[in-house]
Amino acid sequence: MSTIATIPKIRDALRATFRSGLTHSIPWRQHQLYQLARMAQNERELICDALQKDLGKPKTEVLANELGSVIKRALKSAERLPEWVKAEHPEVIDRQKPWNPTIYKAPKGTVLIISPWNFPMMLSFQPLTGAIAAGCTVVLKPSELVPTFSQLLEEIVPKYLDPNAYRVVNGAIPETTKLLELQWDHIFYTGNGKVARIVASAAAKHLTPMTLELGGKSPVIIDSAYDIDLAAKRILWGKCHNAGQICVAPDYVLVQRDKQDELVRAFQKHYNAFFPKGALDSPSFGSIVSDSHYKRLTSLLSRTKGETVLKGRADAARKRLELTIVKDVAGGDSLLEEELFGPILPIVPVDSLDQAVDFVNARSHPLVLYAFSDNESVKQRLVSQTHSGGIVFNDTFQQLAVSELPFTGVGESGYGYQFMKYTYDTFTQLRSSIDMPKEAEANLAVRYLPHSEEAVKALTAAVYTPIPPSRS
């Protein structure tokens, strides 16, 4: 068990390990990645039980969306690591080729990963996988809002990963504050914008580079020509993961006004198909993480001016809240104040695609924009006229399954990239190098003082490079 007093000692020990060169070996890194996969596989029952206790999270959801992703990406990273670490030799002009321009891949050093409560397995070990692959030493700080899971990590991680290189530090605000007082070579934070500002301010004192994976209100735009029934089914599926408590959950839906009631009927139909007896007691639907989050969600619902068309039942004692769908939600409504992060889905009717685009663009850049359309011109317009971390057509949530795509936010939804090689790159320093041969001295003579008229002409030649005319 880590205490506040031991945190600096843990950081210093990890830094000493890094400087020893232990983590630089590619086979060693691959072994750690295989061990990470073994941990997720061997301890899956304990992990599922912990997340059931902390979050009421369905076992199948944990196995499919968290453990499966961790195992798959750890194994793929180990397999591809020899290719990732290779030095690169960029294409240069002929006279520079003898200089041997090279880009070396160097681990950044000792890093800090602060993970959230909502998908704690995936969002702890996804960045850790990249840090291991890059050759960094790591402190992992899991969320205090999932105490059973976080304590389990402190127990099982040292059984699989080298404790000289990887440590779990548990605790709440005091422990996190102490961690942030220290200098790190990179900080990877997943969570909300309010805390992110605190983390970023602390990092700035040491000029520490950061990755911020945040969230925001991810909108859904439905083209009126698209299959409304299919759109409703796919939106509902994405919204129900972890009871809507995920950063990429569809937050609100923009639909043509004359299609709103058809969409409501489709939502009701598919909700009844997903949960024939409702979601309140369903083992396939998660619980709200804490009393404060539960009260926040019910407060938002109590203040909405929209019309509730699917009223979810609630059980405060168990922190259970069924999906609630509200139509005729207008700008300024309580349900549009903040990221919902729960089982509430507002429907905002619009009169045109123009109005939908303007509505999205008037707000902070979301982590992802979902759009349902078969019209290629509509798709290209949304790509060119909106701004978001990602843009997904004709589905929700499933983009997370594509490990080769970078996952990122923009603006209020965060910055920095992750997934597979993108996570490896996050924790890797690109070291540029040249190696000037002695034989190049004759060609370098022009640079030395004093400069002749001919030397000045050669040194300043780039200033007079012809510029082609622009094409309007």
Side-chain angles (χ1 to χ4, degrees):
M1 180 69 179
S2 305
T3 64
I4 290 176
T6 63
I7 286 173
K9 296 176 183 178
I10 291 172
R11 194 283 310 267
D12 292 346
L14 292 174
R15 180 154 288 167
T17 297
F18 179 76
R19 289 173 177 165
S20 76
L22 175 69
T23 64
H24 292 197
S25 162
I26 305 309
W28 187 90
R29 298 185 207 177
Q30 290 175 309
H31 173 67
Q32 298 300 314
L33 290 167
Y34 291 140
Q35 285 293 94
L36 176 54
R38 288 186 186 100
M39 184 192 76
Q41 192 173 78
N42 294 349
E43 309 294 347
R44 60 187 180 275
E45 294 300 329
L46 288 176
I47 292 167
C48 287
D49 289 348
L51 292 180
Q52 169 61 35
K53 183 174 182 180
D54 287 336
L55 294 171
K57 185 169 279 201
K59 183 175 181 179
T60 300
E61 192 173 295
V62 177
L63 292 172
N65 298 334
E66 300 214 56
L67 288 164
S69 295
V70 168
I71 293 169
K72 179 179 71 173
R73 287 171 182 160
L75 295 177
K76 280 188 175 181
S77 295
E79 175 189 344
R80 298 176 185 178
L81 186 57
E83 186 64 30
W84 294 349
V85 301
K86 286 181 180 177
E88 296 179 11
H89 301 280
E91 190 63 34
V92 296
I93 59 177
D94 287 344
R95 72 180 181 84
Q96 293 177 348
K97 289 179 179 178
W99 305 356
N100 191 30
T102 304
I103 303 170
Y104 293 105
K105 313 292 181 62
K108 284 188 174 178
T110 300
V111 304
L112 172 64
I113 296 171
I114 304 175
S115 61
W117 55 264
N118 59 325
F119 274 72
M121 184 71 194
M122 179 175 68
L123 296 178
S124 295
F125 291 99
Q126 187 164 271
L128 181 61
T129 296
I132 292 172
C136 295
T137 55
V138 184
V139 162
L140 172 61
K141 168 61 180 71
S143 173
E144 64 273 20
L145 294 181
V146 281
T148 311
F149 174 79
S150 296
Q151 182 56 42
L152 177 64
L153 289 193
E154 191 167 349
E155 295 168 5
I156 65 175
V157 167
K159 296 179 181 179
Y160 290 87
L161 301 183
D162 190 333
N164 293 308
Y166 312 107
R167 296 288 298 271
V168 175
V169 172
N170 275 319
I173 292 175
E175 288 78 11
T176 304
T177 300
K178 174 55 70 175
L179 286 166
L180 292 174
E181 288 175 0
L182 303 174
Q183 190 273 333
W184 303 91
D185 297 305
H186 194 95
I187 297 175
F188 194 114
Y189 170 78
T190 303
N192 64 67
K194 180 180 179 181
V195 176
R197 284 170 167 79
I198 297 171
V199 176
S201 295
K205 294 178 182 177
H206 299 287
L207 299 180
T208 300
M210 289 195 68
T211 300
L212 296 179
E213 198 280 275
L214 308 178
K217 298 183 73 63
S218 293
V220 183
I221 295 176
I222 303 178
D223 182 350
S224 60
Y226 192 79
D227 183 333
I228 296 295
D229 185 79
L230 181 59
K233 185 179 183 180
R234 293 180 174 181
I235 294 166
L236 193 67
W237 174 77
K239 184 67 175 181
C240 287
H241 281 283
N242 200 32
Q245 298 168 114
I246 183 170
C247 56
V248 295
D251 193 277
Y252 63 94
V253 181
L254 295 155
V255 66
Q256 196 89 2
R257 196 174 303 275
D258 60 3
K259 295 286 185 175
Q260 180 178 218
D261 289 338
E262 181 183 349
L263 179 64
V264 167
R265 289 191 296 271
F267 276 139
Q268 292 168 332
K269 166 190 165 184
H270 291 296
Y271 179 78
N272 290 334
F274 288 178
F275 306 102
K277 297 180 180 180
L280 193 67
D281 299 308
S282 172
S284 299
F285 198 78
S287 302
I288 305 306
V289 66
S290 67
D291 290 330
S292 62
H293 280 275
Y294 181 91
K295 291 174 182 176
R296 178 184 64 84
L297 290 168
T298 54
S299 172
L300 291 173
L301 282 172
S302 71
R303 294 186 289 114
T304 182
K305 303 300 182 184
E307 178 185 346
T308 299
V309 290
L310 180 66
K311 184 171 179 57
R313 294 174 296 168
D315 184 339
R318 295 187 294 154
K319 300 189 292 292
R320 302 285 291 178
L321 188 62
E322 291 183 318
L323 180 69
T324 295
I325 298 176
V326 183
K327 76 169 190 176
D328 287 326
V329 174
D333 192 88
S334 63
L335 301 184
L336 299 176
E337 290 175 357
E338 61 185 61
E339 182 180 9
L340 292 172
F341 222 72
I344 303 170
L345 187 61
I347 302 174
V348 181
V350 293
D351 296 314
S352 65
L353 180 63
D354 286 344
Q355 189 178 352
V357 170
D358 289 344
F359 193 94
V360 171
N361 287 340
R363 287 154 177 80
S364 298
H365 302 319
L367 188 57
V368 58
L369 168 63
Y370 295 110
F372 287 82
S373 178
D374 290 324
N375 188 317
E376 289 303 317
S377 65
V378 169
K379 293 179 185 179
Q380 289 307 308
R381 181 179 175 193
L382 291 174
V383 168
S384 63
Q385 295 185 9
T386 63
H387 206 32
S388 59
I391 184 166
V392 173
F393 296 106
N394 302 326
D395 206 1
T396 62
F397 191 81
Q398 196 65 42
Q399 73 273 18
L400 299 182
V402 186
S403 299
E404 290 71 25
L405 286 173
F407 184 79
T408 184
V410 59
E412 285 289 321
S413 54
Y415 52 78
Y417 299 90
Q418 60 172 316
F419 281 15
M420 295 295 293
K421 186 175 184 296
Y422 297 101
T423 321
Y424 165 84
D425 290 341
T426 287
F427 293 105
T428 298
Q429 175 67 33
L430 300 181
R431 299 186 71 187
S432 299
S433 172
I434 64 169
D435 185 356
M436 189 66 70
K438 294 177 182 177
E439 294 75 17
E441 189 61 19
N443 293 327
L444 299 177
V446 69
R447 71 186 185 180
Y448 298 119
L449 295 172
H451 293 143
S452 65
E453 185 176 337
E454 182 180 355
V456 170
K457 185 176 180 180
L459 291 169
T460 61
V463 176
Y464 307 101
T465 303
I467 300 173
S470 300
R471 296 180 180 179
S472 58

